[in-house]
Amino acid sequence: MAQITYYANFGEIPFGDITKKETRRWIPDAFDVLCGGFPCQPFSIAGVTKKNSMGRMHGFEDEKQGNLFFYIAEIIERHRPKAIFLENVKNLLSHNRGNTFKIIKEILTNLGYSFHYRILDGKYFVPQHRERVFMVGFDSEVFHYGEEFSFPDMPVKDLKVKDILMEDVDTKYTLSDQLWRYLQEYANKHKANGNGFGFGIADLEGITRTMSARYYKDGSEILIAQKYRNPRRLTPRECALLQGYPDEFIIPVSDTQAYRQFGNSVVVPLIEAIGKCIVNAIKRNFE
């Protein structure tokens, strides 16, 4: 479904699953920058908690999702891009007592790449608290560890949730009485147990919580208060704006699929800002 959205906006269809040999054969022999965001669920706090409760493996031991990084490393080793740009959840740094991140760093440095990383928050570009760890590396055979790279400075902006909200919203996005009652009871139960789990009514004059890929289920982490009605979810268009997509971005899929895709997405203007720093570092090396 994400391929459908990509094609609608850019006129190209991504090759698909890089774990398959037939997909990897389509990768060009030479390219300048590899960008990758391997699945975050095996490393996220929520993902680890859920997998533990189900008796399932997480991190690299999650065979389906956790091992995708090693396919990325294989592509890097084979094609030697000038630079690499990776992204994941902040919890990657502390997962398995820091050993997961240590392995990632060791693999990339052993491949002959420098290693820069920083936790950055999307809230400086959009009205959403969204911390992610970004990893950038440069081929030592080209830059000899002398690249002039630094992560971008965060802009100072007065961002507010109300600025991305639509005026006329279909009532289908309003929570049903049953769902709203369930969310309140769920929050009260966890509050009584001393936990902070529960729904979140967004401060329209501030920023939201982090939107997740599970937003399609109930929208509980970001709800918009309404007069004389139950709270409502964000619309898919509002989710797009909350991630920094332009107004003209085409959403050709169902609401459920759109929520999944935008919940899994990066904050676009933050990625653009880091990308410019990478490109400038490459250009300076060849001036």
Side-chain angles (χ1 to χ4, degrees), residues 108-127:
L108 295 177
T109 54
N110 287 340
L111 287 175
Y113 282 79
S114 60
F115 191 80
H116 309 263
Y117 75 94
R118 182 171 296 180
I119 294 173
L120 296 175
D121 196 331
K123 70 179 182 179
Y124 296 101
F125 295 85
V126 295

Side-chain angles (χ1 to χ4, degrees), residues 157-188:
K157 296 181 180 180
D158 185 20
L159 301 174
K160 299 178 180 179
V161 176
K162 67 179 184 180
D163 294 332
I164 61 103
L165 298 182
M166 302 169 61
E167 292 186 6
D168 298 315
V169 175
D170 195 304
T171 56
K172 70 179 181 179
Y173 297 108
T174 296
L175 301 188
S176 67
D177 290 340
Q178 181 180 1
L179 178 55
W180 180 222
R181 184 166 53 252
Y182 166 77
L183 290 179
Q184 293 178 87
E185 291 174 352
Y186 181 84
N188 289 334

Side-chain angles (χ1 to χ4, degrees), residues 10 16 19 138 143 230:
F10 304 107
T19 65
F138 294 85
F143 297 88
N230 295 338

